[in-house]
Amino acid sequence: MLALKQALSLSSSNGVGGFNPINDSTLLAWWKNKVGVTESVGSITNWTDSSNNDYNLAQTRIVERPLYNSITGSLTFDKTNDQNLFLNEVGSTQISISGEFSIGIRFYPTDFGGTIIGDNNTTNEFLKLFSTSIIRLKIDGVSVNLSLNGGSNWGDDYILITRNSSGLIELYHNGVLQNDTETLTGTFDIDSMGIRAVNASPYGGIIFETQIYTSTSSDLSSNINNYLANI
């Protein structure tokens, strides 16, 4: 029995704060901090999806590969070189979410106007930093802006963007639900990180982790925020 208890304890340690994303049935994609990264001379060639869905990211062009820090698990995207990752041909090559979603990101932008995630083949599908305090979500050619509460700016942060069954879009910044809400329906297409169609609005800064779910709830939001806070 002791061996069994030890095994259970080791299994639960894979999560942060008692929550392990892999145990949520609505987990769609999970590019996990310090996990599944293949690097070559300090830059990243692949970032394997830690969910069970094979949304594996890659970059074949050397100049467009983000730099990788194995100590922090950070990927640094240089916008001047259009550095980005795309869904690899080995695995699933397109994410399309027509209903609810929860998207959690741990990042540290150093430039504003760049795309965090989006589609580099289908136009008008992206999540990007519009300014030092505004994030823009564009789906099916329709965009909404979500503003941080007064006085706040993007920095070494974690964010969570959710959409419920009614299309209500909400933004959490470092675990705090922001005042600005919007409504946006449609199918959100994603096939790249750090760029949008076509090879436009490259991201400048660091991404530590990204989680995508096809549901939203207060419990899930709390779990995601607590998890990202501990990276």
Side-chain angles (χ1 to χ4, degrees):
M1 292 299 294
L2 178 60
L4 177 59
K5 289 180 179 178
Q6 288 177 330
L8 289 172
S9 176
L10 288 172
S11 176
S12 65
S13 68
N14 291 327
V16 175
F19 172 67
N20 191 336
I22 198 66
N23 293 329
D24 191 292
S25 62
T26 67
L27 178 67
L28 182 66
W30 183 16
W31 300 296
K32 185 178 180 181
N33 182 247
K34 301 181 184 179
V35 174
V37 177
T38 303
E39 61 177 313
S40 175
V41 197
S43 63
I44 182 172
T45 60
N46 297 86
W47 197 0
T48 302
D49 179 14
S50 287
S51 81
N52 296 317
N53 298 314
D54 286 333
Y55 290 114
N56 304 312
L57 294 169
Q59 181 50 258
T60 54
R61 297 190 63 192
I62 295 175
V63 70
E64 293 184 14
R65 291 174 180 166
L67 296 179
Y68 181 64
N69 184 322
S70 60
I71 297 175
T72 64
S74 63
L75 279 68
T76 300
F77 293 73
D78 181 353
K79 66 170 295 183
T80 63
N81 289 322
D82 292 343
Q83 291 181 346
N84 69 94
L85 299 171
F86 58 89
L87 290 179
N88 196 358
E89 61 273 11
V90 179
S92 303
T93 57
Q94 183 66 59
I95 292 174
S96 295
I97 311 173
S98 59
E100 296 183 359
F101 61 68
S102 297
I103 301 174
I105 303 166
R106 181 77 167 82
F107 70 166
Y108 194 162
T110 55
D111 187 84
F112 305 97
T115 303
I116 306 170
I117 54 174
D119 199 298
N120 201 21
N121 292 289
T122 302
T123 58
N124 297 313
E125 303 281 336
F126 56 79
L127 178 67
K128 64 179 284 187
L129 297 177
F130 185 70
S131 72
T132 58
S133 61
I134 297 173
I135 196 164
R136 170 170 289 180
L137 176 63
K138 194 167 191 177
I139 297 175
D140 294 344
V142 180
S143 62
V144 294
N145 292 338
L146 294 161
S147 300
L148 294 178
N149 290 347
S152 297
N153 290 299
W154 307 117
D156 186 3
D157 299 330
Y158 58 97
I159 63 170
L160 172 62
I161 294 178
T162 66
R163 178 171 75 177
N164 70 12
S165 59
S166 300
L168 176 67
I169 307 291
E170 295 184 312
L171 168 66
Y172 293 81
H173 177 233
N174 295 334
V176 178
L177 180 61
Q178 303 299 285
N179 297 328
D180 190 7
T181 63
E182 303 291 341
T183 301
L184 183 61
T185 58
T187 300
F188 189 21
D189 294 317
I190 302 166
D191 69 8
S192 59
M193 177 180 289
I195 209 159
R196 66 175 180 89
V198 175
N199 297 324
S201 303
Y203 174 74
I206 293 170
I207 295 177
F208 295 93
E209 174 157 328
T210 301
Q211 304 175 12
I212 302 176
Y213 303 77
T214 56
S215 70
T216 183
S217 70
S218 57
D219 285 346
L220 180 58
S221 294
S222 178
N223 284 332
I224 296 171
N225 281 321
N226 288 337
Y227 190 103
L228 295 175
N230 286 283
I231 292 176

